[in-house]
Amino acid sequence: MENADRTRGLLGWIDRRWPIISFLRGELVDYPQPRNLNYWWSFGFLSGTALLVLIVSGVFLAMHYTPHADFAFASVQRIVRDVPYGWLIRPLHAHAASLFFAVVYIHTFRGLYYGSYKAPREVLWSLGVALLALMIPTAFMGYVLPWGQMSYWAATVVTSMVTAVPVVGEDVVAYIRGGYEVGNPTLARFYALHFFLPFVIAAVAAAHVWALHAQRSNNPLGIEVQDSRDVIPFHPFFTIQDMLALAGFLLVLAGFVFFAPDLLTPAENFQPADPLSTPHLIVPEWYLLPFYAMLKAIPFKILGIVAMLGAILVLFAMPWLDRSPVRSARFRPIYRVLFWILVADCVLLAYAGTQPAEGVPLLLARIGTAYYFAHFLVLVPAIAVFERPRALPQSISAAIMERRASRRRRSHA
Ligand code: HEM
C-alpha cells in the first residue's frame, strides 16, 4: 500500500486497482541489490536485450521470408537487396544471434566462477541451463532457413545423427525431415519451430528472472547479505551500470552490422542448396563448435551424440557435484585454476570443431572432450574435499570498508 500511495494521478488510480506500478517499483527500482556487484552482473540484462532484438528483427524478417525450398534462398537475397532496410535487418538478426550466445556464455561462466549455481539458487541455475538447451536448436534451425549450401548440408549432417539411435533412429529421422531426404517439409517445420521457440525462451527467461528475484543475486564475494548496509537500490545504481553495458553491447553489434555484415556467412552459403554437391568441410556457427568437436571426437556416432547432450546435462548437476561450502572462486585457489583451464579447454574444443576429424585436431578434440567431463565429474567433486579456501570476509560492507582502508594506506605510504 505504501508503494501505491507514492503513485499519484491516473497511474495511482490504476495501481490501486491493479498494482502493476507498485510491483515494477518493488522489482526494478527499490529492489535491494548487493552493493558490490560488478559489470559481470550486467550480462543477464544483456542476454535479455539480445533476445528482444532477435524477436523484433525476426518478426520483420518473417514478413518477407518465404519458407519454401524453391524460394527461400531467393527471398533472403530479396530481403537484403530490395526490401526497405532489409540490408540492416538481416545482419542485425544474424549478429544479434551470435552476440546472444557470446553474452549467455559469459553469463554462464560468470555463474560458474562466482558459484551462483549453489544453494539456494539451484532452480534459477537449472532454468538457465534449460535456456541454453533451448537456444541451441533454435539457432541451428535459423541457420538452415537461408537454404544455402551450408544450411542444407548442416541440416543433413545434424538430422542424420539421429540414425545412430538403435531400432527407432531411421524412423525418427524421417519424421523430423518429413521425408527420406532434407527437403521442403524439413524447411517448413524448421521455420515453424524457429518462429515458435524464441517465445518459449522468453517465457523460460521470465521464470528465470522470477526465480532470481525470489532468491536475490549472489555477489562477487559469494557471501550472504547480512543487513541493510550490504545493499543499495537497483535504481539508479544498477540501471546506470546496465545502461553503460548496453551502450558497449550496441556499439559492438553496430560494428559488426555496419562494418562486417557478412562476416558470419560462410562462402558456401552464398550458393543455393544443392543436394548433389557436398561442401568440402561442413562447419556450424562458432557457438556450436565445441559441441561439434565432441561429436567428431568419439568414433561411435551414438556415443558422440550422448557426449554432446551430456555436455549440457552435466551443467544441470553442477549444484550437486560441487560440495564446497564456499561459493566464489576468489576464495578457492584450486577451483579458480580449474575454472580457467575449463575456459581454455572450451576454446581448444572450438578450434578442433573447425578442423577435419583427423590427425592432431582429432587428438585435441578427444583430449578436450575427456577433460571437459573430467572437470565436472571428477575434479570439481574431488577438490571440494581437499581444497583449503581462504578466509571469507565478515560481510559485504566490511569487505568494502577494508578495501577502501587498504587503498588509503597505500596512497599515504
Ligand atoms: C536467455 C538467456 C538468459 C537470460 C535472458 C538471463 C537473464 C538473467 C538476468 C536478467 C539475471 C540477473 C542479472 C545477472 O545476474 O546477470 C540472471 C541471473 C542469473 N542467471 Fe541468467 N539468463 C539467461 C541464461 C542463463 C544461463 C544459460 C545460465 C546458466 C547456465 C544462467 C544462470 C544465471 C544465474 C545463476 C543467475 C544468478 C546470478 C547471481 O546472482 O550471481 N542464466 N539471468
Side-chain angles (χ1 to χ4, degrees):
M1 207 55 219
E2 189 200 314
N3 264 336
D5 291 346
R6 282 163 62 186
T7 312
R8 294 176 201 289
L10 178 63
L11 288 182
W13 184 88
I14 295 174
D15 201 48
R16 281 187 292 280
R17 283 147 186 91
W18 176 44
I20 178 74
I21 309 290
S22 313
F23 172 76
L24 292 177
R25 186 179 283 135
E27 299 303 313
L28 296 175
V29 178
D30 300 335
Y31 182 70
Q33 282 285 68
R35 63 192 310 151
N36 59 340
L37 295 191
N38 55 32
Y39 272 98
W40 298 119
W41 265 261
S42 288
F43 279 84
F45 167 70
L46 294 183
S47 308
T49 307
L51 180 61
L52 186 69
V53 172
L54 282 167
I55 290 180
V56 173
S57 57
V59 167
F60 280 98
L61 283 176
M63 291 175 192
H64 304 283
Y65 173 76
T66 312
H68 189 289
D70 292 343
F71 307 110
F73 185 84
S75 77
V76 172
Q77 298 309 311
R78 202 181 78 82
I79 289 173
V80 183
R81 289 158 207 267
D82 296 337
V83 168
Y85 294 102
W87 59 269
L88 175 66
I89 298 169
R90 190 197 172 200
L92 190 64
H93 192 73
H95 287 289
S98 199
L99 284 186
F100 187 30
F101 273 91
V103 293
V104 167
Y105 283 155
I106 293 175
H107 184 64
T108 306
F109 277 104
R110 184 282 314 261
L112 287 173
Y113 188 85
Y114 292 112
S116 300
Y117 49 84
K118 284 178 183 259
R121 297 183 184 81
E122 301 95 322
V123 172
L124 162 66
W125 171 261
S126 304
L127 287 166
V129 183
L131 284 167
L132 195 54
L134 282 166
M135 284 167 63
I136 292 171
T138 308
F140 163 70
M141 286 187 265
Y143 191 58
V144 175
L145 300 185
W147 211 240
Q149 270 289 68
M150 202 51 102
S151 305
Y152 179 86
W153 287 97
T156 303
V157 169
V158 171
T159 50
S160 69
M161 275 168 20
V162 184
T163 54
V165 177
V167 190
V168 291
E170 296 285 346
D171 290 338
V172 174
V173 173
Y175 184 75
I176 293 173
R177 289 180 177 167
Y180 293 109
E181 301 291 334
V182 168
N184 194 47
T186 326
L187 180 62
R189 54 196 62 192
F190 278 21
Y191 175 64
L193 288 173
H194 183 70
F195 199 119
F196 170 67
L197 284 177
F199 295 96
V200 178
I201 294 178
V204 179
H208 180 68
V209 174
W210 181 8
L212 171 80
H213 280 226
Q215 296 306 333
R216 303 279 159 102
S217 287
N218 181 27
N219 64 82
L221 296 172
I223 56 176
E224 294 300 330
V225 165
Q226 311 276 336
D227 55 38
S228 62
R229 280 172 302 176
D230 289 349
V231 290
I232 46 178
F234 192 84
H235 180 74
F237 299 102
F238 295 104
T239 38
I240 289 180
Q241 183 164 310
D242 283 352
M243 286 309 116
L244 282 173
L246 177 66
F249 173 85
L250 291 179
L251 269 178
V252 174
L253 181 59
F256 281 119
V257 169
F258 294 117
F259 294 101
D262 290 326
L263 186 74
L264 297 174
T265 313
E268 290 81 356
N269 244 19
F270 287 97
Q271 293 170 338
D274 180 358
L276 300 179
S277 145
T278 318
H280 168 62
L281 188 62
I282 300 166
V283 256
E285 295 270 67
W286 69 267
Y287 41 79
L288 300 182
L289 287 170
F291 302 104
Y292 194 49
M294 290 183 184
L295 180 72
K296 292 200 285 190
I298 301 177
F300 306 101
K301 221 192 227 177
I302 185 74
L303 291 183
I305 300 172
V306 170
M308 259 173 59
L309 298 178
I312 297 281
L313 290 180
V314 78
L315 290 174
F316 278 113
M318 192 56 186
W320 297 277
L321 290 169
D322 180 4
R323 308 305 303 166
S324 167
V326 174
R327 286 199 192 102
S328 175
R330 280 195 187 172
F331 303 98
R332 301 186 58 190
I334 306 179
Y335 179 77
R336 193 165 58 213
V337 174
L338 290 183
F339 170 86
W340 288 112
I341 298 177
L342 179 72
V343 173
D345 187 54
C346 291
V347 175
L348 178 84
L349 280 169
Y351 163 74
T354 62
Q355 301 298 309
E358 59 195 24
V360 177
L362 180 60
L363 182 67
L364 292 179
R366 288 188 173 153
I367 296 173
T369 305
Y371 184 82
Y372 183 88
F373 287 101
H375 172 90
F376 289 103
L377 298 175
V378 181
L379 298 173
V380 163
I383 59 152
V385 179
F386 299 113
E387 189 179 45
R388 294 280 157 265
R390 282 173 41 212
L392 294 173
Q394 262 177 347
S395 70
I396 295 172
S397 53
I400 292 173
M401 299 312 267
E402 170 54 34
R403 210 171 59 196
R404 276 192 202 149
S406 76
R407 236 186 256 151
R408 222 173 291 134
R409 278 197 297 274
R410 253 183 284 138
S411 68
H412 286 308

